Amino acid sequence: MKKNIDIIIVGSGIAGCTLAWQWLLHGKSVLMISDVEKGSSAVAAGVYNPTILKRFTSVWKAGDQLDVLNDFYTKVESRLEQKFFHPIDILRRFHDEREIKTWVKKSVKEDLKDYMSSEAFAYENSAVDAPYDYGKVVGTGWVDTIGYMNQTVQYLKEISSFLKDSFDFKELIHSVDQVVYKEFQAGKIIFAEGFKLRSNPYFKNLPLQGNKGEVLTIKVPGLKLDYIIKSSVFLMSYTDDLFWVGATYNAEELSDGSTEEAKEFLTSRLERFLKVPYEIVEHKYGIRPTSIDRRPLVGVHQLYKNYAVFNGMGSRAVLMAPWASQQLFDSLYSDQQLHLEIDIQRFIN
């Protein structure tokens, strides 16, 4: 006798966990399959931000994504009875007077005015050098991604909805109205494998690219930050005296392991504004899954209509995944069309 469930999810990163909760919050049953190997989500600091602070522009569909995000993570916290969702403003450290003028000019644009302060913001902190003050961004914060993923997997284990397994495609059987994997049968299966998608026989032809990211965890005894500080790198409180510093972006060099070059980049940029001693506690890396057009890869297979993919969110998975998973759920159960810019049909002739 096969065990019946509504959905099989392959992958336990931010994407997979968000899919699982989207289905659970809609009263559906799930099975998550993962070998729980470290992926890019394990090094994600989890910052969400509707603006791109390098260029002072807005993130694609930021308003729609934020509307879903706040409600979604709050509901998951309530179900888990755990805290991992942390709204907090970001301060973009200005480097010179020219940046201030550019910021003020951009802040009145229709797509930015709800998030960016209209003038320079003063924040006195003796540990941080900021002679030109900051631009303040609201509607921002961070998700404790490690806590979110660990708590989700633990919850799924408790309700017998988690299978620790390296997914074996030879065990996957497809029919018109269901899929079967070992002793389980489901209406549909969604692959949320991150960079491993490149080895997936059904979706490997999608234009998924890798982008290596490295972050540091540092210890700074006594440092207190009321905001996330963003300069050429960000500095963010994590827990106790620990802070995140990140991140690097490298689409060319995708080797395993953290690098001295990235460490040098992160520490040199950090020391331009952090004026107190610190200790490096951990140096981590991951390969972010991105697409060639910087939009998520979401949708169903052309031939196997019960096979779907949920991938390609890169460094913005915390922000994008709740909205994109709602899009996928509605398309599968309510016949609503996926947003055209995330639908994988854009890459299929």
Side-chain angles (χ1 to χ4, degrees), residues 195-208:
F195 199 54
K196 290 182 180 179
L197 187 74
R198 292 176 30 139
S199 300
N200 183 308
Y202 300 101
F203 293 103
K204 65 182 180 182
N205 291 329
L206 291 174
L208 188 76

Side-chain angles (χ1 to χ4, degrees), residues 95-345:
H95 298 98
D96 51 38
E97 293 285 353
R98 182 180 56 83
E99 274 198 335
I100 298 174
K101 292 178 181 178
T102 302
W103 175 279
V104 171
K105 183 178 178 180
K106 293 284 190 76
S107 69
V108 298
K109 293 184 63 177
E110 188 64 31
D111 58 339
L112 293 170
K113 65 181 183 180
D114 290 338
Y115 311 119
M116 291 170 58
S117 61
S118 59
E119 55 188 30
F121 179 82
Y123 171 53
E124 297 299 327
N125 189 313
S126 60
V128 180
D129 180 47
Y132 296 96
D133 292 329
Y134 305 88
K136 183 178 175 181
V137 189
V138 301
T140 60
W142 67 286
V143 171
D144 178 358
T145 54
I146 296 172
Y148 173 54
M149 294 183 293
N150 288 345
Q151 293 159 20
T152 297
V153 168
Q154 182 59 38
Y155 179 86
L156 293 175
K157 287 179 178 178
E158 291 171 0
I159 62 173
S160 302
S161 295
F162 184 85
L163 176 64
K164 186 175 181 180
D165 192 16
S166 293
F167 193 84
D168 185 355
F169 286 93
K170 295 177 183 176
E171 297 274 0
L172 182 61
I173 302 170
H174 174 269
S175 65
V176 173
D177 57 358
Q178 69 177 15
V179 296
V180 174
Y181 183 78
K182 297 186 176 180
E183 69 269 30
F184 302 94
Q185 64 183 27
K188 303 179 190 302
I189 185 168
I190 307 176
F191 294 98
E193 310 155 280
F195 199 54
K196 290 182 180 179
L197 187 74
R198 292 176 30 139
S199 300
N200 183 308
Y202 300 101
F203 293 103
K204 65 182 180 182
N205 291 329
L206 291 174
L208 188 76
Q209 299 176 327
N211 191 315
K212 187 174 182 177
E214 300 187 47
V215 297
L216 301 177
T217 306
I218 65 171
K219 185 175 184 179
V220 192
L223 177 61
K224 302 296 181 185
L225 290 179
D226 301 306
Y227 304 91
I228 298 171
I229 304 297
K230 176 69 173 76
S231 187
S232 47
V233 295
F234 70 78
L235 176 65
M236 183 185 82
S237 296
Y238 180 45
T239 180
D240 298 325
D241 290 330
L242 298 181
F243 297 79
W244 288 95
V245 179
T248 63
Y249 297 84
N250 192 331
E252 306 300 325
E253 199 279 306
L254 303 179
S255 62
D256 281 338
S258 53
T259 65
E260 282 299 315
E261 290 83 359
K263 179 181 175 182
E264 168 62 24
F265 174 86
L266 294 171
T267 55
S268 65
R269 299 310 188 271
L270 174 67
E271 290 165 11
R272 291 178 181 177
F273 64 91
L274 183 65
K275 300 193 292 184
V276 294
Y278 65 91
E279 171 193 351
I280 296 176
V281 175
E282 194 170 16
H283 180 187
K284 300 193 290 187
Y285 77 97
I287 308 297
R288 309 180 188 92
T290 65
S291 65
I292 58 173
D293 61 0
R294 295 296 187 265
R295 299 287 184 266
L297 299 169
V298 182
V300 299
H301 194 276
Q302 263 196 311
L303 300 178
Y304 300 95
K305 299 302 182 182
N306 296 329
Y307 294 7
V309 63
F310 190 74
N311 210 314
M313 279 160 276
S315 62
R316 302 194 192 280
V318 161
L319 175 62
M320 284 187 175
W323 173 81
S325 63
Q326 180 69 64
Q327 284 270 318
L328 181 57
F329 184 92
D330 290 343
S331 74
L332 295 179
Y333 293 98
S334 303
D335 289 329
Q336 293 187 25
Q337 186 175 15
L338 281 171
H339 192 286
L340 294 178
E341 288 186 72
I342 70 172
D343 194 333
I344 58 172
Q345 295 304 315

